[in-house]
Each structure stands twice: as C-alpha cells, then as structure tokens.
Amino acid sequence: KNQVEQSPQSLIILEGKNCTLQCNYTVSPFSNLRWYKQDTGRGPVSLTIMTFSENTKSNGRYTATLDADTKQSSLHITASQLSDSASYICVVQTTGGGNKLTFGTGTQLKVEL
Amino acid sequence: DVKVTQSSRYLVKRTGEKVFLECVQDMDHENMFWYRQDPGLGLRLIYFSYDVKMKEKGDIPEGYSVSREKKERFSLILESASTNQTSMYLCASRLRDFMNTEAFFGQGTRLTVV
C-alpha cells in the first residue's frame, strides 16, 4: 500500500532557530516528491517539487532533500520566523495509477517568540 | 498568479440537504480535483476530472458526485449531506501533463453538517 509518513507530528521552536521535518514513503513507482505549506484554514501552497534525479532543492529559507534509495525526504527551515507556523505536508506522486498524489498527514510547526 | 477560488470559506448545512461546493480556476488547467481533509488522515481524493464532462472516482467517492460543464469550473455535490461529511474540502487544479506539474489549491471550504 502506498504510504507517506511524516515526523514529528508536531513541533514547537523559538523564532530564529532552525528545524528539520522528516518524510518517509513507500510509494511506487516514484515520480516526484513535493512539500506543501498549509496555513491554518487555508489551502496548501507548494514549496518544492523534486524528481528522482534531484537530491536537494531550495526555496528561500526552505531546503528539501531527497534520498530515493532510502525513500526519505527532509525539509529544513533556516532562521525560522513566526510566519513559518503552519502545517507542512509531504506529498509523493506515482507514475502509475493515473499519476496519483499520496499525501502525508503533515507536521504542525509552531514558531514562538 | 494562478487562482483557484472556492465559492465559500464556511458552510453550515442540515442533515439531508443537497449541498453544492463550487470551484473555479483561471489558468486554463485541464485537470481539476476535489479532496477532503480530516485531522490525522491527510488529504483524500474524492473525484477528479481531466476534461470537460469527464470525471473519475477517487479513493472516497461514496456520497458525492461532481459536475464539470465548463473547463474552468468543477462542482462537488453532496446529494444528501450527513454528519460524517463534516470536513474541510479542497479543490485543486493543474495542467494536463500530470508528471511534474504544480498542483494549485483553493483556500478550502469548511463544511459543517448538523
């Protein structure tokens, strides 16, 4: 069964600190892996998309890594800001079955003063 | 900027009512999707459409139907709303090339069925 698991489930950090969120997946065949940011009560917004051949991708203070061999990804947030408080969702797309997206349940990040 | 607009942010409906959730996108995307999002479960695909008048069932289509009469508009219909359909509903769209194209989401509709 295709699955995407994220850890931790929730995280609280102080403003200015760095953090790393984890994503493990069993989706096969693999097409790409996406990270989304979802503010409370809003729709998800894309941060990065990585294909099999990419092992790192940055978007400002967000850096995603991908290890397709171990089927793991991480999202690193540098110098966190209060506006980073959100749910971060890992999504894996398969090439089979209609190019379906499989969503993780998200990591809820809270950045405090 | 791509815009995916859902007609309502919040809805409260009674059990048994017929409910329409509307979604409009302005980027001429072929593919449109309806998901529901519940705590601890992530986003689950209800229905999707890859062209006008075309529809495909997702993972949880029971109790729902959809309509796509125009390319830019994709409607989700709850034929007879039930309390277990209380959820956050998200519409998304993307280009026909499924593989690595961006999926853009609407702001969501929080539906409460009482």
Side-chain angles (χ1 to χ4, degrees):
Chain A
K1 182 182 177 183
N2 288 336
Q3 284 188 309
V4 176
E5 296 184 353
Q6 294 186 241
S7 63
Q9 192 172 5
S10 62
L11 182 63
I12 302 174
I13 62 173
L14 293 177
E15 187 181 30
K17 299 296 186 183
N18 304 334
C19 68
T20 300
L21 314 181
Q22 301 290 344
C23 174
N24 296 335
Y25 62 93
T26 59
V27 176
S28 182
F30 176 86
S31 174
N32 59 66
L33 185 144
R34 307 155 183 246
W35 283 94
Y36 282 85
K37 178 187 179 189
Q38 185 176 23
D39 292 318
T40 300
R42 299 285 181 175
V45 175
S46 179
L47 295 174
T48 63
I49 301 176
M50 287 184 292
T51 60
F52 186 89
S53 59
E54 296 172 299
N55 55 22
T56 187
K57 198 165 227 182
S58 291
N59 178 357
R61 294 180 296 102
Y62 300 100
T63 299
T65 65
L66 172 65
D67 185 335
D69 291 331
T70 62
K71 298 188 177 182
Q72 296 179 325
S73 176
S74 65
L75 181 69
H76 186 75
I77 304 174
T78 304
S80 61
Q81 299 175 358
L82 296 178
S83 59
D84 292 331
S85 295
S87 178
Y88 291 84
I89 304 172
C90 177
V91 185
V92 180
Q93 182 171 358
T94 179
T95 55
N99 299 290
K100 184 181 174 182
L101 296 179
T102 302
F103 291 78
T105 55
T107 291
Q108 188 68 44
L109 174 66
K110 185 173 184 181
V111 181
E112 294 182 339
L113 289 171
Chain B
D1 275 356
V2 173
K3 259 198 179 167
V4 179
T5 304
Q6 295 182 228
S7 53
S8 304
R9 289 288 309 278
Y10 301 95
L11 275 179
V12 180
K13 296 292 181 180
R14 296 195 180 277
T15 301
E17 274 194 80
K18 190 169 186 175
V19 181
F20 293 86
L21 303 184
E22 306 286 343
C23 176
V24 177
Q25 51 95 1
D26 66 357
M27 280 301 290
D28 205 34
H29 286 172
E30 291 84 2
N31 302 300
M32 296 187 74
F33 309 81
W34 275 107
Y35 294 90
R36 64 177 283 177
Q37 184 177 30
D38 300 289
L41 292 179
L43 274 75
R44 293 179 292 165
L45 182 63
I46 304 171
Y47 267 97
F48 67 99
S49 169
Y50 52 88
D51 205 345
V52 176
K53 296 193 185 295
M54 305 303 289
K55 60 184 179 184
E56 294 284 344
K57 292 181 180 179
D59 298 320
I60 51 165
E62 296 78 17
Y64 304 94
S65 62
V66 290
S67 172
R68 192 156 181 210
E69 296 297 318
K70 293 184 178 181
K71 190 175 186 179
E72 67 270 19
R73 187 179 298 270
F74 193 34
S75 303
L76 179 69
I77 304 155
L78 286 66
E79 297 290 341
S80 177
S82 64
T83 55
N84 63 13
Q85 292 178 310
T86 292
S87 186
M88 173 73 130
Y89 290 87
L90 290 160
C91 174
S93 76
R94 64 183 185 198
L95 284 170
R96 182 181 296 285
D97 175 8
F98 272 115
M99 297 300 289
N100 299 319
T101 54
E102 191 73 63
F104 295 89
F105 286 85
Q107 78 277 26
T109 296
R110 171 88 47 198
L111 173 67
T112 302
V113 182
V114 298

